[in-house]
Structure formats: C-alpha cells, structure tokens
Amino acid sequence: MRRAWRFIALGIAVYLLILVTTFPAVRVTGMLEERVPGLSVHAVSGSVFSGQAGRVIWQDLDLGPVHWQFRPVALLWGSVEYRAELTHPANHGQLTAGTSLTGRAYAEDVELVVLPDRILNHYSPVEIATSGELLLAFKEIDLADIFSKTTNGRIAWRDAVILAPVNMVLGQLELGVQGNAAELVGEVIEGGELGASGEVSLSSDHSYWIELLLQPGYDVDRATLDLLEDAARMQPDGYLIEQSGQL
C-alpha cells in the first residue's frame, strides 16, 4: 500500500511539474500588469517557466524584447523569481525579477546598458543629443514603488558627451542612487571633466532638484567655461548650479 502511495505522490509531482512548465505565460500577463504600476507586456509567447515578450514597456520606457527563465531556487526563501534578459540594441542586459509571498514586486541584480538619449530625453523638457554609454547597475528596485528605501544602485555614464543643444565633453560620470520613500536621490560619485559634486533628486510627484558644484580642470575649453558662466553662479571654489522644476 505504501508503495502505491509513493507512485501516486510521484505522479502528482510529475503532473504539477508539467503543468508549471507548460502553463501559457499569456495567462498571467494581466496579473503582472496589475501588480507592477506602469508595466505593459505585448506579444507574449512560451510558458511561465520559460518564455518571451516581443515588447515590454515600463514607466513609459520601451524596453523592447524580453526573455525570461524561472528560478526555482528562490522558492526556498519564499519568492517566485525569474531571470530576465533584455535584447533591444539600445538597452540590453539582465536582471532578476520576482515577487515575495507578501506580494512585493522587485528587481534585483539589475545590469543594463542603455543609450543615454533614451533616458535623458524621456525626462528632459528639451531634446538632447548625446554619445557614450549609460550603465544602470542596481542591487534592488522596488517595482511597485521605485522611491522606496529598498531601491538602491548606481548610474554611470561612460565617455559622456553632450552634442546638442550645446557641445560639452563630460567624461566619466557616476551617481549613487538611493530611495528614501519620497524621492530618489543621486549623489555624485565621479564628477568627470567638470569636477562635479553634489546631489540631484526626483520626487514621486515628478518634481526635481539639482544642486551641483562644478570645478572644471585647466584643460576645459573656453566655450565650456562661457556656458558655465551663463548657467551657473560663480563661487570662490567653482560654479554652483541650483535648479528645481517639474517634469
């Protein structure tokens, strides 16, 4: 009798495994879109175990195609997780996305390489042309509330250049980003050619604040210095930029 029960239990386990690995991903797309604000998933194929979406939009940013793979090891600490790969030429990389037993949706180990124009022009009131490469490396992002204290990481702009509406070589820039429940605060870690230091912040109501002190080196060209004199306040130790507004 015990042997029979073992076969029954094994059969149930196999059935559940087949159910999970073949359950159509399109069936859970609506649930994901409800749980993660600003998420829109299109052209879904495959299963909840392994599948892909032809186009994913989050917070009005088009992330392009995404492929995912279930991470069963996360079940050991009470989470349902997927390793996702983004393959759009303008933003590519990997991240782990999951939800806890309490329903908290999050992303971890985020490493994305993005063309700067895609991010800057999403928020900038004037169109900006740039070059270089933007790295988004976040230890964690709270997908339900990106301003949460759990959101933390860094943003690095390598070989940064603004081409228009002005021409300005910025070099290597890096911000450490931390949420504090009401806003995202970025503190300058690496200040580039202009020797920047200070903070920028973005609030949940889409207002922003910039407070930067620029201390350009002797090799910065005269045209760039003229721009700084027009846009910033001269201080004994550099150029101060203080600006706020609404995106």
Side-chain angles (χ1 to χ4, degrees), residues 57-125:
I57 299 172
W58 180 62
Q59 301 293 329
D60 295 325
L61 290 170
D62 189 345
L63 302 178
V66 176
H67 179 272
W68 62 82
Q69 190 77 29
F70 182 59
R71 298 184 71 241
V73 68
L75 296 173
L76 296 176
W77 51 82
S79 295
V80 176
E81 285 187 355
Y82 290 85
R83 190 62 180 167
E85 180 181 6
L86 285 72
T87 59
H88 194 290
N91 48 253
H92 56 276
Q94 303 84 33
L95 59 91
T96 296
T99 181
S100 66
L101 289 178
T102 60
R104 185 177 71 88
Y106 59 87
E108 293 181 338
D109 302 324
V110 178
E111 288 193 7
L112 297 179
V113 177
V114 184
L115 292 181
D117 286 4
R118 288 177 63 81
I119 299 295
L120 296 178
N121 285 320
H122 183 68
Y123 295 106
S124 175

Side-chain angles (χ1 to χ4, degrees), residues 105-166:
Y106 59 87
E108 293 181 338
D109 302 324
V110 178
E111 288 193 7
L112 297 179
V113 177
V114 184
L115 292 181
D117 286 4
R118 288 177 63 81
I119 299 295
L120 296 178
N121 285 320
H122 183 68
Y123 295 106
S124 175
V126 296
E127 187 172 353
I128 300 175
T130 67
S131 69
E133 189 175 80
L134 202 62
L135 170 66
L136 280 65
F138 278 76
K139 183 177 180 181
E140 184 170 352
I141 299 175
D142 189 324
L143 295 178
D145 179 13
I146 62 172
F147 303 96
S148 164
K149 294 180 179 180
T150 60
T151 296
N152 68 96
R154 61 187 180 90
I155 300 174
W157 188 359
R158 299 307 181 195
D159 301 320
V161 179
I162 297 177
L163 300 172
V166 297

Side-chain angles (χ1 to χ4, degrees), residues 2-22:
R2 289 182 180 178
R3 189 175 181 182
W5 278 111
R6 287 176 185 172
F7 280 117
I8 292 173
L10 179 61
I12 293 174
V14 170
Y15 171 76
L16 291 175
L17 180 61
I18 293 173
L19 181 64
V20 169
T21 57
T22 60

